[in-house]
Amino acid sequence: MLPTAYYLAVYLFCWNFTSREVHTLEYYMAAVYEHHAILNPNATVLSDRRSALEFMSKNLDIYEAQVTVAAKKGAQIIVFPEDGIHGFNYTRQSIYPYLDQIPPSHLLPWNPCLEPSKFLDTEVLQRLSCMATKGRMFLVANLGTKMSCKPFKAQCPSDGRFQFNTNVVFNDNGTLIATYFKQNLYFEFGFDTPPEVQHVVFDTPFASKFATFTCFDILFFEPAVSLIKKYNVKHVVYPAAWMNQLPLLSAIQIQRGFASAFNINFIAANIHHTTLGMTGSGIFSPSYSSYHYDMTNENGTLILAKLPVNPSEDVIVGSKDQIWPENSEVIYSSILTKHQVCETEETEEPCGRDVATDQVPHHAFYSEMMYDNFTFVPLLQNEGMLDVCAGTLCCFLKYKKTILSDELYALGVFDGLHTVHGTYSLQICALVKCGGLEPSTCGHEVTNADSVINLQLWGNFSTKHIFPLLLTSGVTVQLPDFSGWKGNKFYMNANDMSSSLLSAALYGRYYERD
């Protein structure tokens, strides 16, 4: 009998060659570590700096071991998750001993490993710097930092200091080259929102135009979308402590969708704590996915994969072929998926009728999904065309079930303001597998399915920012055959599905309505 780890390590390599021409790209090696963080069981209890450092060293020891492994595999950059060093659930007072002092920008660059005594309370920065030096790689990590300010001036808190959720970037000789303070906090009572939005962009010898932001930031225009557009960013390094929420917002869904929407490389490290619903890290290019999602154990996972230096050349269009990079690897677990962009002309048949019956379906119902009230119509036939509208958004679906089962699927639409665990405006078209056979179960979290469905999904979105999401049984992400605008409608085609469908969605963020 093969060990369980064998079954968890799934490797799917898919190529599509449309001509004899081979398009060779330049690559670099990236690594992410999904860290099973050692958490502080007494996070709200006041401590001292010495005790805090002793606790954080347990997580830093794991980081150091992973850097050593990644270096042997040829990694040029490694990303660690949000909150991976100190954990979470602190108060403003209890997290204070865990914070490093962040030097003001005018005193940078600085190499903490070579100049450890230059600033006080920088022990964590020193260890991270030495890891980057020893591994000879760029290193991205997240930690808590503090910065003194004058009380009651420039938004300075009354205790005379800012406390920030901070990403730090070290180059391959250990020099601190970039810092970023998280803008969109998610119930993080120990940290402050920075007085000004930061756009942090840095270059490396192997690729240019890297940017960094953190976890919840991905759902907002500032800084994520703004800096990508303003600075023509090609690569994002992304620490996260993301709690998965199916059917539309698992970590790997939004990571894959963001890389696709902006045609960039996305390097994402998430915390691994299944009891908190936290797993899902990956390395994504426009046409390639290497990721880890595992709710069955509490092991950390190192992922390595090569990424194109210029991700805009990574998309397969027309007659251009691509050879996947060699030496892509996931330690313990991996899913690799395919992508082919097919520019085909689709004829728009009249919407609102079912192909099999030629009758307009009148089975619309309401059900809560992701805390929002969606309008749904069920898929009652093995193939057909459906549409459903809410507000100004109408969603259209053409589908055919190629493997049948006794499962309920429904096409849903939402056009409005999401107000739970954050406030932001959405426009969503989503085909989802329901939790049971009752309409009230549509929108429930589901992880497995049996039905294979080929589909074309589109909508008349008012927002231009659409994230294509395609999730199949076992919580595995797929890439559609095509996603993009045709006229004033946004389309997603998945015409050759081989895996059973959990959800297919066009997740629109209407930033202007926030």
Side-chain angles (χ1 to χ4, degrees):
M1 181 177 180
L2 292 171
T4 302
Y6 177 88
Y7 294 103
L8 293 177
V10 182
Y11 297 90
L12 299 174
F13 291 92
C14 300
W15 298 268
N16 185 354
F17 293 99
T18 54
S19 77
R20 296 289 182 179
E21 177 191 356
V22 176
H23 187 58
T24 304
L25 304 179
E26 293 183 88
Y27 295 92
Y28 65 92
M29 180 70 83
V32 302
Y33 183 61
E34 180 163 309
H35 177 42
H36 179 68
I38 299 170
L39 301 180
N40 187 345
N42 303 304
T44 60
V45 176
L46 299 182
S47 183
D48 55 60
R49 179 66 174 172
R50 179 178 177 180
S51 299
L53 289 173
E54 288 178 354
F55 170 76
M56 291 188 289
S57 69
K58 300 174 184 178
N59 286 308
L60 289 167
D61 288 345
I62 298 172
Y63 279 25
E64 189 167 3
Q66 297 305 316
V67 169
T68 299
V69 174
K72 292 178 180 179
K73 299 289 184 178
Q76 294 165 275
I77 186 168
I78 189 168
V79 182
F80 291 100
E82 180 186 25
D83 298 331
I85 296 173
H86 52 70
F88 27 76
N89 295 328
Y90 293 88
T91 66
R92 181 173 183 83
Q93 291 72 33
S94 68
I95 201 173
Y96 181 70
Y98 298 82
L99 306 180
D100 266 33
Q101 184 75 36
I102 197 75
S105 58
H106 70 274
L107 295 180
L108 298 179
W110 165 53
N111 190 311
C113 191
L114 298 180
E115 303 174 279
S117 59
K118 188 171 183 178
F119 303 101
L120 296 176
D121 292 341
T122 58
E123 292 89 343
V124 175
L125 291 172
Q126 292 167 33
R127 282 208 64 181
L128 294 170
S129 170
C130 292
M131 289 181 207
T133 301
K134 184 178 179 180
R136 296 182 179 179
M137 69 182 70
F138 280 66
L139 185 149
V140 181
N142 175 272
L143 72 158
T145 65
K146 58 189 177 182
M147 181 181 294
S148 299
C149 58
K150 295 182 179 180
F152 310 110
K153 291 186 178 180
Q155 304 178 41
C156 180
S158 59
D159 54 13
R161 64 177 183 267
F162 285 113
Q163 298 183 177
F164 294 126
N165 177 327
T166 306
N167 293 349
V168 290
V169 182
F170 299 90
N171 69 11
D172 53 5
N173 67 18
T175 299
L176 179 63
I177 61 170
T179 62
Y180 165 72
F181 303 144
K182 185 179 180 182
Q183 179 67 30
N184 299 284
L185 300 175
Y186 188 82
F187 301 101
E188 298 168 63
F189 304 111
F191 294 124
D192 299 305
T193 300
E196 297 180 355
V197 176
Q198 293 185 311
H199 289 172
V200 176
V201 180
F202 62 94
D203 289 331
T204 72
F206 47 85
S208 62
K209 298 295 185 182
F210 280 80
T212 187
F213 47 85
T214 311
C215 203
F216 201 37
D217 285 332
I218 199 172
L219 292 181
F220 297 89
F221 188 81
E222 290 289 3
V225 177
S226 178
L227 73 84
I228 287 174
K229 291 187 172 184
K230 183 176 181 179
Y231 297 99
N232 194 27
V233 166
K234 301 296 184 183
H235 319 262
V236 169
V237 287
Y238 176 73
W242 188 278
M243 292 179 286
N244 292 299
Q245 188 179 9
L246 295 169
L248 302 183
L249 281 183
S250 67
I252 53 175
Q253 275 177 293
I254 193 64
Q255 293 163 15
R256 173 66 269 168
F258 201 91
S260 296
F262 292 102
N263 202 35
I264 61 172
N265 293 332
F266 200 81
I267 309 169
N270 195 15
I271 288 282
H272 188 89
H273 269 281
T274 62
T275 56
L276 301 174
M278 291 179 169
T279 183
S281 306
I283 300 172
F284 304 91
S285 77
S287 65
Y288 173 84
S289 303
S290 180
Y291 63 91
H292 175 74
Y293 180 100
D294 188 354
M295 289 289 289
T296 65
N297 64 62
E298 295 296 346
N299 297 326
T301 301
L302 180 67
I303 308 169
L304 297 105
K306 284 189 175 182
L307 285 172
V309 170
N310 185 354
S312 63
E313 296 179 354
D314 190 46
V315 180
I316 308 170
V317 180
S319 63
K320 288 188 177 181
D321 301 335
Q322 175 178 318
I323 296 178
W324 292 119
E326 296 179 355
N327 304 321
S328 296
E329 182 176 1
V330 176
I331 310 301
Y332 305 125
S333 179
S334 169
I335 304 290
L336 301 177
T337 58
K338 69 176 181 178
H339 180 57
Q340 178 191 3
V341 174
C342 304
E343 295 288 352
T344 59
E345 291 297 323
E346 299 288 344
T347 58
E348 288 193 27
E349 300 180 36
C351 297
R353 66 181 180 87
D354 187 276
V355 170
T357 63
D358 202 35
Q359 297 295 318
V360 177
H362 296 286
H363 304 282
F365 61 91
Y366 300 101
S367 187
E368 185 178 282
M369 181 164 67
M370 314 286 293
Y371 301 106
D372 296 317
N373 191 26
F374 275 69
T375 304
F376 285 100
V377 290
L379 279 61
L380 299 178
Q381 306 295 330
N382 294 335
E383 62 179 298
M385 287 190 67
L386 296 173
D387 65 280
V388 62
C389 300
T392 62
L393 176 63
C394 285
C395 303
F396 307 89
L397 174 69
K398 183 177 181 179
Y399 70 95
K400 182 177 182 179
K401 298 179 181 180
T402 60
I403 295 181
L404 307 179
S405 66
D406 185 20
E407 295 173 320
L408 176 62
Y409 284 81
L411 172 66
V413 61
F414 178 76
D415 183 7
L417 190 67
H418 175 88
T419 58
V420 178
H421 302 154
T423 302
Y424 42 91
S425 185
L426 298 170
Q427 287 192 319
I428 300 174
C429 294
L431 170 62
V432 297
K433 182 201 169 185
C434 305
L437 297 180
E438 296 297 322
S440 60
T441 66
C442 296
H444 288 191
E445 295 197 9
V446 178
T447 58
N448 291 288
D450 295 317
S451 301
V452 176
I453 304 175
N454 293 333
L455 63 99
Q456 181 181 52
L457 178 66
W458 68 100
N460 62 335
F461 292 87
S462 300
T463 177
K464 296 299 181 184
H465 297 99
I466 315 296
F467 301 95
L469 312 175
L470 189 58
L471 197 68
T472 52
S473 189
V475 192
T476 55
V477 292
Q478 306 291 335
L479 279 156
D481 301 314
F482 169 80
S483 63
W485 291 96
K486 292 184 179 181
N488 62 352
K489 297 181 179 66
F490 193 95
Y491 286 78
M492 178 168 69
N493 296 352
N495 298 319
D496 191 24
M497 294 289 288
S498 58
S499 300
S500 303
L501 184 70
L502 289 181
S503 63
L506 300 175
Y507 192 92
R509 272 290 282 115
Y510 205 154
Y511 303 112
E512 297 85 351
R513 290 197 318 199
D514 284 357

